[in-house]
Amino acid sequence: MEISVSGGNPPPTGNVSGLGGSPKNSAPVPRTLISRPDPHAKLEDAPQRTGPPNFANLPAGAQPEQVFASKKIYKMLVNMPNLNSATGSWILNFSELRVNAEGPRISSPDLSAPVPLRKVDPKYPPSLMSERVEGEVVLYAVIRGDGTVDSVQLVHGIDEKLDENAMQALSQWKFQPAARQGSPVELEAIVHIPFRLRNDRY
């Protein structure tokens, strides 16, 4: 199931996605997530990873979400208030963070979604806008049990400055953490952040 979180619908004054703005705060009601296992994952042979993923080990052209292997993957769409792009939202694909490979596997699907409480949109420098530098930055991050975001690393970039702005913005996000039966659950996420100009800008 896809979870969509809206950041509001102010007057259309923003020209781009990724345009820097003040942090937005909202607290929608958490929703229970239903996962869909990756049909291409080899459930029997997939090793249990307990440390940060090494994206360099992925085959050429592979989606970064493959580092989740056989784990259940959830998807969240987060619309930013000033976002107007082809993608229409930040896309967060996430899975439970396993800290102990010897620990029991949790099969219960009753995981409530993390809720963004503080959202920070990365700055889009006017010089890069005029040069039509656009695309999608892909990041890896961990959403901790206290709702903070850390361990942010670049998976795929488009420009050194935009990559840096995206990483700084994501590290400032704050969530109401995911939970199972009232207990916080830490997550690892692949985050797709669009930087796109509106078609009517030119």
Side-chain angles (χ1 to χ4, degrees):
M1 186 172 76
E2 292 184 359
I3 302 299
S4 180
V5 179
S6 176
N9 186 26
T13 56
N15 292 323
V16 295
S17 68
L19 181 64
S22 59
K24 304 297 179 181
N25 296 278
S26 60
V29 177
R31 308 184 193 183
T32 298
L33 295 177
I34 301 175
S35 65
R36 175 175 52 83
D38 184 349
H40 303 293
K42 296 181 179 180
L43 299 180
E44 297 179 356
D45 301 330
Q48 289 298 313
R49 174 178 52 80
T50 57
N54 186 350
F55 294 95
N57 291 337
L58 291 177
Q63 294 296 315
E65 284 78 7
Q66 287 192 19
V67 299
F68 293 150
S70 62
K71 296 193 297 183
K72 295 177 180 179
I73 301 175
Y74 307 93
K75 183 174 184 178
M76 174 183 288
L77 308 179
V78 182
N79 295 319
M80 301 300 288
N82 57 355
L83 189 62
N84 189 351
S85 71
T87 54
S89 62
W90 285 35
I91 301 174
L92 291 83
N93 294 315
F94 54 91
S95 185
E96 292 186 53
L97 179 66
R98 286 181 61 86
V99 296
N100 180 8
E102 303 300 325
R105 294 173 179 263
I106 301 175
S107 58
S108 170
D110 298 330
L111 180 70
S112 64
V115 177
L117 302 177
R118 183 174 190 264
K119 299 181 289 184
V120 180
D121 208 7
K123 295 180 180 179
Y124 202 159
S127 59
L128 296 180
M129 292 164 50
S130 63
E131 295 172 7
R132 297 190 63 82
V133 177
E134 55 183 325
E136 183 179 79
V137 175
V138 182
L139 305 176
Y140 168 88
V142 174
I143 303 174
R144 297 296 179 185
D146 62 359
T148 59
V149 177
D150 64 24
S151 304
V152 179
Q153 62 174 285
L154 180 68
V155 178
H156 172 73
I158 53 178
D159 172 85
E160 183 176 348
K161 186 60 177 177
L162 294 183
D163 299 345
E164 178 184 353
N165 290 350
M167 294 177 71
Q168 290 180 351
L170 179 58
S171 66
Q172 297 177 64
W173 279 48
K174 176 75 174 181
F175 289 85
Q176 177 179 315
R180 174 179 285 107
Q181 297 179 344
S183 298
V185 175
E186 294 194 338
L187 307 171
E188 54 181 353
I190 303 294
V191 185
H192 299 255
I193 305 172
F195 287 87
R196 301 192 189 280
L197 299 167
R198 280 176 46 174
N199 292 333
D200 60 0
R201 183 175 173 80
Y202 293 91

